[in-house]
C-alpha cells in the first residue's frame, strides 16, 4: 500500500519530483536549471530516509505493530462503523519520532507518562519501552476499535504491560485522573487538533503535570498549512491557533522541532 506524504518535507519532495518529471520533457530548458531542480528534489526526498538510517532501529515489537497497522484497511473499518472517525496508517508516529519520544523519556527520567490520543499504540509502546520496570503510560483513546487493536499489539510485547488504555473522550479521562490526584512527568498530545488548547489548559491548571514536567504536542506543522498560503483544513486552522496561543501564553516556553509533521516541546516557565 502506497503511503501518501503527510509531512512538509514529504509533500515538498513529492512536488519537486513532479516538477523534475515535467522539466525533463522540455528539451530546450537550461541544463543548469534542471540540475539545480534535481538537487533540490534529492535534498528533500533523501532527508527522511537518511534520518531513519542514522537513528537507532525500532524494536521488533514496534516493527510488528507498524506491519499490522499498515495491513489494516482503515477506510473499510470506518465505512463499516467499527471506528468512530476516519483513520489512516499515516497517523502512526513512526520510527524517528518514536525514538525521539523514547529519548525524552530517558532524559527526563520520567516514570509516569500520559498520552492524549493513541491510535494503534506506536508512540505509547515506544515510550513504555524507555520507562523503568515500574513505569506506566496512561493512554487516552476515544475509539474502542483501535484501543482493542493496540492492546493486542501490547500483549505481544515485553513492555506492553506498562500501558493502561482509557477508552473515553480525553478531556473526561484527564479530569478523572486529576480528581484522583494523578501526576505525570511527560505528556504526549496527539489527539483531535481542535482540542489541543483545552488539553494544554487542563494540564496547566490542574496537578496533572509534574512541576518540572514536559509536554510534547504532535503535528504542530500540520503539513505546512499554518505557514503556507492557500485554504487550510480545519486541522490546519486549529493547529495555527494552538501555535499562536502558545506564543502568547506567558505560562510556558516552547520550541517547535521540525521533526516529521512538527513536534513542539513545552514546559512551564
Amino acid at each position: 500500500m502506497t503511503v501518501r506524504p503527510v509531512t512538509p518535507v514529504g509533500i515538498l519532495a513529492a512536488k519537486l519530483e513532479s516538477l523534475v518529471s515535467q522539466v525533463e520533457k522540455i528539451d530546450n530548458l537550461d541544463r543548469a536549471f534542471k540540475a539545480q531542480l534535481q538537487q533540490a528534489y534529492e535534498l528533500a526526498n533523501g532527508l527522511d530516509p537518511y534520518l531513519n538510517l542514522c537513528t537507532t532501529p525500532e524494536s521488533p515489537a514496534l516493527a510488528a505493530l507498524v506491519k499490522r497497522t499498515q495491513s489494516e484497511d482503515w477506510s473499510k473499518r470506518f465505512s463499516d462503523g467499527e471506528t468512530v472517525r476516519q483513520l489512516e496508517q499515516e497517523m502512526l508516529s513512526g520510527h524517528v519520532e518514536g525514538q525521539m519520544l523514547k529519548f525524552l523519556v530517558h532524559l527526563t527520567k520520567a516514570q509516569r507518562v500520559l498520552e492524549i490520543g493513541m491510535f494503534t499504540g506506536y508512540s505509547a509502546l515506544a515510550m513504555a519501552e524507555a520507562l523503568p520496570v515500574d513505569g506506566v503510560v496512561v493512554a487516552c483513546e476515544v475509539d474502542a476499535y483501535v484501543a482493542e487493536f493496540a492492546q493486542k499489539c501490547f500483549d505481544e510485547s515485553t513492555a506492553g504491560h506498562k500501558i493502561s488504555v482509557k477508552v473515553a473522550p480525553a478531556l473526561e479521562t484527564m479530569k478523572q485522573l486529576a480528581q484522583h490526584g494523578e501526576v505525570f512527568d511527560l505528556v504526549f498530545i496527539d489527539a483531535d487538533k481542535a482540542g489541543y488548547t483545552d488539553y494544554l489548559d487542563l494540564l496547566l491548571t490542574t496537578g496533572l503535570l509534574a512541576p518540572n514536567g514536559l509536554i510534547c504536542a504532535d503535528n504542530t506543522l500540520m503539513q505546512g498549512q499554518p505557514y503556507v498560503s492557500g485554504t487550510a483544513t480545519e486541522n490546519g486552522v486549529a493547529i495555527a491557533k494552538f501555535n499562536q496561543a502558545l506564543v502568547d501564553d506567558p505560562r510556558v516556553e516552547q520550541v517547535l522541532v521540525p521533526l516529521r509533521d512538527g513536534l513542539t516541546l513545552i514546559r512551564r516557565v
Side-chain angles (χ1 to χ4, degrees):
M1 184 180 294
T2 302
V3 178
R4 67 182 180 87
V6 292
T7 68
V9 170
I11 294 169
L12 174 62
K15 290 185 178 297
L16 287 171
E17 182 179 28
S18 177
L19 289 173
V20 167
S21 178
Q22 293 176 52
V23 301
E24 281 299 320
K25 300 173 183 177
I26 305 175
D27 295 331
N28 60 347
L29 198 61
D30 182 68
R31 295 175 67 178
F33 172 79
K34 287 185 177 182
Q36 289 187 54
L37 185 60
Q38 177 65 32
Q39 290 174 351
Y41 164 64
E42 291 177 4
L43 279 169
N45 192 58
L47 180 59
D48 282 345
Y50 191 68
L51 293 178
N52 281 313
L53 178 67
C54 295
T55 298
T56 300
E58 62 195 356
S59 68
L62 287 170
L65 189 153
V66 171
K67 186 175 181 180
R68 182 175 293 181
T69 302
Q70 292 176 340
S71 65
E72 188 84 357
D73 187 346
W74 294 105
S75 60
K76 183 177 186 300
R77 296 302 179 195
F78 180 67
S79 63
D80 287 348
E82 293 181 273
T83 63
V84 298
R85 66 195 191 283
Q86 181 64 65
L87 304 170
E88 54 187 358
Q89 62 168 306
E90 288 84 1
M91 295 171 70
L92 275 173
S93 298
H95 169 214
V96 177
E97 187 171 0
Q99 291 300 312
M100 177 67 165
L101 291 171
K102 290 180 74 168
F103 246 81
L104 291 173
V105 171
H106 283 302
L107 290 172
T108 59
K109 294 181 171 57
Q111 294 195 16
R112 295 179 53 80
V113 173
L114 175 64
E115 179 171 68
I116 306 170
M118 180 183 67
F119 189 38
T120 57
Y122 189 97
S123 51
L125 184 55
M127 292 185 288
E129 290 180 346
L131 286 172
V133 176
D134 58 346
V136 63
V137 176
V138 176
C140 306
E141 175 53 53
V142 72
D143 197 302
Y145 181 85
V146 288
E148 182 180 354
F149 184 101
Q151 190 61 58
K152 291 177 181 177
C153 297
F154 299 157
D155 291 343
E156 297 174 4
S157 69
T158 57
H161 67 280
K162 303 175 189 175
I163 304 170
S164 174
V165 182
K166 307 291 186 182
V167 182
L171 275 177
E172 290 182 14
T173 299
M174 292 171 68
K175 290 175 181 177
Q176 291 175 0
L177 292 170
Q179 290 172 359
H180 287 89
E182 302 279 1
V183 181
F184 298 91
D185 307 302
L186 189 150
V187 179
F188 181 49
I189 305 175
D190 188 19
D192 58 300
K193 310 314 167 189
Y196 272 33
T197 302
D198 290 335
Y199 300 142
L200 177 69
D201 192 59
L202 190 60
L203 289 168
L204 296 176
T205 56
T206 66
L208 278 174
L209 184 68
N212 295 315
L214 174 66
I215 302 171
C216 307
D218 200 15
N219 302 115
T220 46
L221 287 178
M222 189 46 66
Q223 303 175 13
Q225 292 181 34
Y227 62 89
V228 298
S229 59
T231 304
T233 62
E234 289 184 9
N235 282 341
V237 172
I239 286 297
K241 289 181 178 179
F242 174 72
N243 290 342
Q244 188 60 51
L246 279 177
V247 171
D248 297 335
D249 195 331
R251 299 173 297 177
V252 298
E253 64 179 25
Q254 69 284 334
V255 57
L256 201 170
V257 181
L259 170 64
R260 199 169 180 264
D261 199 27
L263 182 68
T264 298
L265 308 182
I266 307 160
R267 64 178 292 274
R268 283 194 186 95
V269 173

